[in-house]
């Protein structure tokens, strides 16, 4: 007679202890909260673009760069023809002058070439706070002739000084901006960073178009009610036609808004 083989009983599954459930729930909440937080921050629809090596805020469709002699010789045709994610560069700010006497050696050629390939173009002056605003504006005026369709002149204010008080710096900035507005017939754009915006610009230059350099975050919420037109969000992008990295900017509006900002 065959012997009956007994089947070993399956081991009983141990119930997950309460601390285990606490850990699981905490992980789910942490992951879900992280996803919610990232999506909340990503209101500007940032996405990495391998073609140019940086992320872009795809909430906005008008992207551009700023250049100076430090970018070397530029192939403007290649730059204009480049496409990335069905977009292309549409505007450029070009350094014209610095202080009371310096002129960017590539300005004249860059200014002409940018116009030739159909980019919206703007010229900027690198402001030296310990030089007189009158002499600095004369330097800019000698080099920059604007025409209909050009962007307003730009005052690049990112250099500090201990030689003047805050009140004196503000007064001199107002002098340069007033001279430029009277001469060109349009209110200039102020380029600055977060620190200088809070210290000098916020309470003193209401109504001026702002171009903010800020690489620190996903949004510009910390600028309160400031009317910001341009955002320089990266200094390490790439483009066809330029060797090495270049500053990337975005216009915070539509094409009609950009055209309205230009000289009439």
């Amino acid at each position: 007679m065959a012997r009956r083989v007994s089947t070993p009983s399956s081991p009983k599954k141990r119930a997950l202890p309460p601390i285990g459930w606490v850990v699981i729930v905490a992980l789910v909440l942490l992951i879900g909260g992280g996803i919610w937080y990232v999506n909340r921050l990503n209101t500007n629809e940032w996405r990495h673009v391998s073609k140019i090596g940086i992320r872009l805020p795809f909430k906005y469709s008008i992207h551009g760069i700023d250049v100076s002699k430090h970018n070397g010789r530029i192939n403007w045709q290649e730059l204009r023809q480049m496409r990335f994610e069905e977009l292309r560069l549409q505007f450029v700010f070009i350094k014209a002058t610095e202080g009371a006497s310096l002129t960017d050696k590539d300005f004249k050629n860059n200014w002409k070439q940018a116009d030739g390939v159909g980019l919206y173009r703007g010229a900027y002056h690198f402001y030296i706070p310990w030089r007189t605003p009158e002499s600095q504006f004369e330097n800019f005026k000698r080099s920059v002739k604007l025409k209909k369709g050009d962007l307003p002149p730009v005052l690049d204010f990112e250099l500090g000084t201990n030689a003047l008080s805050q009140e004196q710096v503000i007064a001199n900035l107002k002098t340069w901006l007033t001279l430029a507005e009277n001469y060109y017939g349009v209110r200039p754009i102020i380029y600055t960073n977060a620190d200088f915006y809070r210290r000098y610009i916020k309470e003193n230059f209401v109504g001026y178009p702002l171009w903010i350099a800020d690489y620190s975050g996903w949004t510009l919420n910390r600028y309160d009610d400031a009317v910001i037109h341009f955002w320089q969000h990266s200094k390490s992008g790439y483009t066809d036609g330029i060797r090495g990295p270049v500053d990337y900017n975005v216009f915070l509006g539509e094409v009609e808004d950009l055209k309205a900002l230009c000289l009439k």
Side-chain angles (χ1 to χ4, degrees):
M1 182 176 176
R3 295 177 61 189
R4 185 175 181 182
V5 179
S6 61
T7 304
S9 58
S10 301
K12 293 182 179 180
K13 295 182 179 180
R14 297 178 60 186
L16 189 68
I19 187 63
W21 287 110
V22 171
V23 171
I24 290 174
V25 171
L27 286 173
V28 171
L29 290 175
L30 182 63
I31 294 171
I35 293 173
W36 173 85
Y37 185 64
V38 168
N39 288 334
R40 180 174 176 269
L41 285 178
N42 200 21
T43 55
N44 288 319
E45 302 172 24
W46 292 95
R47 295 205 313 270
H48 187 267
V49 181
S50 57
K51 173 72 175 179
I52 61 176
I54 59 171
R55 59 177 189 158
L56 288 180
F58 276 83
K59 177 181 178 180
Y60 307 103
S61 60
I62 305 174
H63 302 267
I65 59 174
D66 57 273
V67 299
S68 70
K69 67 178 182 180
H70 300 294
N71 297 105
R73 179 172 289 276
I74 299 172
N75 187 321
W76 289 93
Q77 290 292 341
E78 286 186 8
L79 185 151
R80 183 59 166 155
Q81 291 169 8
M82 183 186 73
R83 296 292 187 275
F84 50 97
E85 301 282 334
E86 305 303 322
L87 298 172
R88 65 176 181 172
L89 296 174
Q90 296 189 55
F91 67 87
V92 60
F93 287 108
I94 304 169
K95 183 177 180 180
T97 52
E98 177 178 331
S101 58
L102 295 178
T103 301
D104 189 291
K105 70 180 183 65
D106 291 333
F107 172 70
K108 188 174 181 179
N109 181 62
N110 286 339
W111 188 247
K112 179 181 178 181
Q113 295 293 329
D115 188 44
V117 297
L119 288 167
Y120 291 96
R121 61 180 186 173
Y124 72 88
H125 173 77
F126 189 88
Y127 186 78
I128 306 297
W130 55 87
R131 302 297 184 193
T132 65
E134 294 85 356
S135 63
Q136 293 194 68
F137 176 69
E138 287 300 317
N139 185 25
F140 184 79
K141 184 175 74 172
R142 285 193 299 268
S143 298
V144 180
K145 310 301 178 186
L146 300 179
K147 68 176 185 177
K148 180 180 178 180
D150 288 335
L151 290 163
V154 178
L155 181 63
D156 177 348
F157 175 51
E158 55 181 300
L159 193 62
T161 179
N162 293 322
L164 302 173
S165 68
Q166 183 177 7
E167 291 73 21
Q168 288 173 311
V169 171
I170 292 170
N172 288 345
L173 290 173
K174 287 181 177 179
T175 296
W176 195 100
L177 293 165
T178 299
L179 290 169
E181 183 171 359
N182 290 341
Y183 183 77
Y184 292 106
V186 63
R187 180 160 281 191
I189 297 169
I190 300 174
Y191 169 94
T192 195
N193 55 44
D195 179 41
F196 279 25
Y197 167 76
R198 289 190 296 269
R199 290 169 56 190
Y200 299 100
I201 306 301
K202 181 178 178 180
E203 303 294 339
N204 301 293
F205 296 95
V206 177
Y208 280 88
L210 295 180
W211 174 14
I212 294 292
D214 192 320
Y215 319 127
S216 64
W218 296 59
T219 72
L220 292 174
N221 290 344
R222 58 182 176 149
Y223 294 90
D224 304 319
D225 297 326
V227 180
I228 299 173
H229 289 72
F230 296 93
W231 181 4
Q232 185 184 91
H233 55 80
S234 176
K235 54 183 177 180
S236 55
Y238 290 86
T239 177
D240 292 350
I242 297 179
R243 292 183 179 181
V246 65
D247 299 335
Y248 263 76
N249 305 270
V250 66
F251 177 68
L252 307 184
E254 304 298 334
V255 173
E256 294 75 15
D257 304 312
L258 186 62
K259 290 180 178 178
L261 188 63
C262 293
L263 272 70
K264 306 298 186 288

